[in-house]
Amino acid sequence: MPTILVDDPRDPRLSPYLNLKDRDVRRERGLFLAESEHVVRRAFEAGLRVRSVLVVESKADRVRAMAEASGLEDVEVLACAKEVMAQAAGIKLHQGMIAAVEPAAEASWESLQASESSGSSLEVLVVCPEITNVDNLGLLIRVCAGLGVRAMVLGPRCADPWYRRAVRVSMGAVFTMPLIRSTDLETDLDRLRAAGYEQIATVTDADAQELREVAPGVGAGRRQAILVGSEGYGLPTDLVARCDRKVRIPMHHDVDSLNVAVATGIVIHHFTSPPRAGSGRPGTDRGIAGRGE
């Protein structure tokens, strides 16, 4: 596959990459942008349809090697100087490489049920009614993928997980993490309850159970759906009221909140770790899960 040398930042072949700071390429073109060499490589390895790659000239050979290894022969490799890339994009691009890619098909409830019937042992879901910060969502996806969450359920008001910064912060985990976009969250929570998922609200309420007092591990036949709140506001009271239990992370040194991805990672790890004896120390009256910036 030939490398196309581009020396004009207004070249029409660069149209997906122009003025990225204020654009939503996903909404405009149905594509997402994979930014940085690692994320571009992950896109190829995940078998996604990479349309084109904008790259500094010194790294063009690496892109061709990625494409050839994945069996893609028709990827446009657009090589240019760093200055041309910066002028076209209008922002500093990480590692001098960015690709325009077709997103993977969204997961569905049917695919989730199929994975259950195949004997999957992963029994934890994470439900995000409204994570609006794309960096937080990207980090949360990476945390969920790394800690073995079966799938994430994203509410109607959640940010787009395929937005450029969300994809970059996820380090490509969005390519393999099953994401179910809910259009009616209450109905879907009813669906989870019918499927045997205990629903756990992560809150700061003083009357919530301290996480370390909850039996860790999902155990045989035990399923949990962990609900995490939006940045700064937590979970809506009506969703908390629907849950089977409320849990909080004890906090110290007058800290009342953690970043939502950090807090969720602590909770996930608790519920995916093997049960252990003799855990816990007395805590404080503060706690957090699912808040923060």
Side-chain angles (χ1 to χ4, degrees):
M1 88 195 45
T3 298
I4 302 169
L5 297 178
V6 179
D7 57 11
D8 184 352
R10 297 165 297 179
D11 189 305
R13 287 171 294 196
L14 302 187
S15 58
Y17 309 105
L18 298 178
N19 306 314
L20 295 182
K21 184 176 181 180
D22 300 316
R23 285 183 65 193
D24 186 346
V25 176
R26 162 98 156 122
R27 189 183 298 265
E28 291 177 17
R29 296 170 173 261
L31 304 173
F32 75 88
L33 297 179
E35 182 183 353
S36 84
E37 183 171 347
H38 175 81
V39 177
V40 172
R41 186 181 302 278
R42 289 287 303 273
F44 277 114
E45 292 173 348
L48 298 180
R49 176 69 177 87
V50 180
R51 294 276 194 88
S52 67
V53 183
L54 177 61
V55 60
V56 294
E57 290 181 63
S58 61
K59 295 185 177 182
D61 289 345
R62 301 185 198 181
V63 174
R64 288 198 300 272
M66 293 178 199
E68 290 168 3
S70 64
L72 295 178
E73 300 294 336
D74 58 348
V75 179
E76 270 195 333
V77 181
L78 306 170
C80 64
K82 290 182 180 179
E83 295 75 15
V84 173
M85 179 179 285
Q87 290 176 42
I91 60 172
K92 182 179 179 180
L93 293 174
H94 288 249
Q95 302 177 14
M97 191 181 298
I98 188 168
V101 189
E102 295 180 11
E106 289 187 350
S108 64
W109 293 108
E110 290 72 23
S111 63
L112 180 64
Q113 291 170 343
S115 69
E116 291 172 355
S117 63
S118 67
S120 172
S121 62
L122 302 178
E123 300 291 343
V124 172
L125 304 181
V126 169
V127 180
C128 309
E130 187 177 358
I131 303 295
T132 57
N133 181 290
V134 292
D135 296 282
N136 282 342
L137 181 58
L139 181 55
L140 186 56
I141 291 170
R142 185 180 181 190
V143 166
C144 288
L147 294 179
V149 168
R150 169 179 278 177
M152 295 175 65
V153 180
L154 307 182
R157 291 181 291 183
C158 259
D160 184 359
W162 297 101
Y163 189 74
R164 175 180 58 85
R165 291 207 321 270
V167 172
R168 187 189 76 213
V169 174
S170 83
M171 295 294 285
V174 68
F175 306 153
T176 54
M177 183 72 230
L179 303 174
I180 298 174
R181 175 66 82 167
S182 172
T183 57
D184 185 341
L185 192 57
E186 291 193 2
T187 296
D188 288 334
L189 288 173
D190 288 340
R191 185 199 302 254
L192 289 177
R193 187 177 302 284
Y197 281 88
E198 177 188 23
Q199 296 179 17
I200 301 170
T202 57
V203 298
T204 62
D205 303 355
D207 64 343
Q209 190 174 14
E210 287 190 8
L211 183 63
R212 58 193 168 199
E213 295 175 353
V214 181
V218 291
R222 186 178 173 198
R223 297 174 171 178
Q224 277 116 1
I226 300 170
L227 278 70
V228 300
S230 63
E231 304 90 342
Y233 299 101
L235 286 168
T237 55
D238 60 328
L239 291 184
V240 173
R242 294 173 58 97
C243 289
D244 301 294
R245 73 168 82 195
K246 302 189 297 183
V247 299
R248 63 185 177 92
I249 301 171
M251 305 296 293
H252 304 274
H253 298 294
D254 293 324
V255 175
D256 64 353
S257 66
L258 297 175
N259 172 276
V260 62
V262 173
T264 304
I266 293 170
V267 176
I268 294 169
H269 185 268
H270 181 85
F271 284 112
T272 55
S273 298
R276 61 191 183 280
S279 62
R281 294 177 300 177
T284 68
D285 62 354
R286 289 191 176 92
I288 180 64
R291 282 182 55 192
E293 298 179 349

